[in-house]
Amino acid sequence: MLTKINELQAKTILTKSGLPGADWVINPYRGCQMGCMYCYAAQIARWKHPSEEWGSYLDIKINAPELLKKELTNLETKNKSKDFGFIFFSSVTDPYTPLEAKYHLTRSCLQVLSDFGYEGKIGIQTKSPLVLKDIDILKLLKNVQVGFTVTTLDDKVSRFLEVSAPPVSERIRALKELSRRGVPTYAFIGPLLPHFMNSKADINHLLDTLQDAGVAEVWFEHINLSSKIKARLFEYLETESPNLIPEFEKADNQEYRDKFNQVIYECLEGRNLKLGLGKVIFHHDLPQKK
Ligand code: SF4
C-alpha cells in the first residue's frame, strides 16, 4: 500500500501514558504502515484522519528529537532527577514503521535519551527487525528492553492479519540477534488470536520458541473486540475468510478468557519466564489512568 506522508511539527513528544506499566510514551509517528487488522490505534488516530484507511498514511513528527531534548531538560529541572519513570515507544504507531529507515526519528530520540543520560527504564515494542540498526545506541542506554509482538508462529497468519508487518519468522530471528548482542528482550503475545492461538499445544510451542530465542519475559493480552475494532476486522474477515467470524465471536466472552487464562498459566509453570503485569491482560480489566 502506498503511504501518504505528512511531515509536521509536533507540539509535544513525551506524553503521559495511559498504558499499564508505562509512565510516558513517545510516538515519533502518527499512523502506522503495518496496517494490522486488529489494531486499536486505528480508532484512536481516526480523529485526525477520519476518511483515510489505516496503514495508508503516516504523519511524521520531524521535530521529535529537538522537542524531546527540551522536554527532558524541563522534567529534569522539575523532578531534580534523570529518572521520571518508564518511557515506552510507542502506543499508537510502530516505532520501526518502514519509513523509520528514512527518517530515523526513533533512532534520534534514543540518541537524545542516551546523550541526556536517562536513568529510568525505556521500553521499545515493535514488529520490525529494523530495530537491529539501532543496537549501537541500545547498548548505550542504561535500562532498555526491546519487545516484539508475536501473535503466531506461522508467517501466513501474520501476513493475513498483520498485513504489511514483517513476517513473524523475521521477528523471531531479530529477537535471537538482540539476545545474542546482549539487549534484554520480551515478547508481547497480543492479541491472542482466536482459532490460531487457542490451545495448550499452541502456547507451549510458542513459549518454547521464544525461550529458544532468548526471551526472558512474556506479556499476554486477549483480543479487544470493542465495536469499532470489531467493525473493521470483521469487514476484512467477511471478505477474506468469513468462516473465521464465528471463531472470533466465540472467543469474545469471559468464560472463554477465564478458561484460556488457566491454560496459559499452566503452560508457564516451571518455565523461567516472567509474566508481564503478572497476569493475562484484558483491556476492560485494566485500571484507567488519568
Ligand atoms: S504495528 Fe501496532 S500500531 Fe502498527 S498497525 Fe500493527 S498493531 Fe497497530
Side-chain angles (χ1 to χ4, degrees):
M1 189 186 293
L2 280 178
T3 306
K4 190 174 151 203
I5 295 171
N6 178 30
E7 294 181 0
L8 55 80
Q9 297 279 333
K11 294 197 176 77
T12 179
I13 193 68
L14 191 56
T15 53
K16 280 274 187 193
S17 163
L19 296 174
D23 299 296
W24 302 90
V25 289
I26 295 178
N27 287 293
Y29 306 97
R30 190 165 50 220
C32 181
Q33 295 170 282
M34 312 279 187
C36 305
M37 296 316 303
Y38 52 69
C39 181
Y40 75 97
Q43 308 311 323
I44 296 170
R46 189 142 284 218
W47 62 281
K48 281 274 182 190
H49 294 269
S51 58
E52 285 168 276
E53 195 183 335
W54 181 247
S56 72
Y57 64 86
L58 196 68
D59 292 346
I60 295 163
K61 302 176 187 176
I62 50 172
N63 60 335
E66 294 73 35
L67 259 185
L68 180 59
K69 205 170 167 177
K70 268 193 225 152
E71 291 176 0
L72 287 173
T73 307
N74 291 345
L75 281 165
E76 183 186 14
T77 309
K78 194 171 149 199
N79 293 290
K80 304 200 177 356
S81 161
K82 283 184 183 286
D83 176 359
F84 333 123
F86 180 24
I87 299 178
F88 181 69
F89 291 71
S90 300
S91 57
V92 292
T93 187
D94 189 304
Y96 290 94
T97 197
L99 276 163
E100 165 67 12
K102 175 178 177 194
Y103 285 92
H104 307 291
L105 288 179
T106 297
R107 179 180 175 84
S108 301
C109 287
L110 291 172
Q111 185 69 62
V112 168
L113 285 160
S114 168
D115 294 346
F116 175 79
Y118 191 66
E119 289 170 0
K121 186 174 173 187
I122 298 166
I124 297 166
Q125 191 168 309
T126 183
K127 289 187 171 97
S128 175
L130 204 52
V131 65
L132 298 177
K133 75 181 174 62
D134 293 346
I135 287 184
D136 55 339
I137 300 179
L138 294 172
K139 299 281 285 179
L140 298 175
L141 293 165
K142 295 192 170 102
N143 185 0
V144 71
Q145 194 182 23
V146 176
F148 268 81
T149 306
V150 179
T151 57
T152 171
L153 289 175
D154 184 339
D155 281 351
K156 287 200 282 302
V157 176
S158 59
R159 175 60 67 243
F160 175 59
L161 286 169
E162 297 157 349
V163 187
S164 302
V168 71
S169 55
E170 288 183 20
R171 299 178 216 166
I172 300 288
R173 271 198 293 276
L175 277 168
K176 275 189 184 155
E177 180 62 9
L178 286 162
S179 210
R180 192 184 69 79
R181 306 271 296 271
V183 178
T185 59
Y186 71 95
F188 186 84
I189 303 149
L192 284 158
L193 296 176
H195 177 75
F196 298 110
M197 183 62 67
N198 66 356
S199 71
K200 194 167 186 174
D202 291 337
I203 299 293
N204 271 325
H205 183 206
L206 179 63
L207 293 177
D208 288 346
T209 306
L210 292 170
Q211 284 190 288
D212 183 54
V215 165
E217 181 174 342
V218 287
W219 289 60
F220 283 92
E221 184 174 31
H222 288 291
I223 194 161
N224 176 350
L225 286 177
S226 59
S227 58
K228 286 182 176 157
I229 298 172
K230 189 171 172 175
R232 177 169 170 265
L233 173 62
F234 279 24
E235 190 184 332
Y236 176 72
L237 293 180
E238 190 67 61
T239 316
E240 299 295 327
S241 192
N243 57 316
L244 287 175
I245 291 181
E247 297 290 316
F248 275 62
E249 274 178 330
K250 221 166 55 189
D252 190 23
N253 69 75
Q254 199 53 46
E255 194 186 343
Y256 174 93
R257 285 188 289 271
D258 287 344
K259 275 192 184 153
F260 201 29
N261 287 352
Q262 286 317 310
V263 170
I264 293 168
Y265 297 142
E266 279 171 26
C267 292
L268 284 166
E269 266 171 35
R271 292 179 184 270
N272 193 17
L273 274 172
K274 185 179 169 198
L275 174 63
L277 290 188
K279 62 177 183 179
V280 181
I281 306 166
F282 181 53
H283 70 287
H284 275 314
D285 301 337
L286 294 171
Q288 297 302 308
K289 285 194 186 174
K290 299 242 164 113

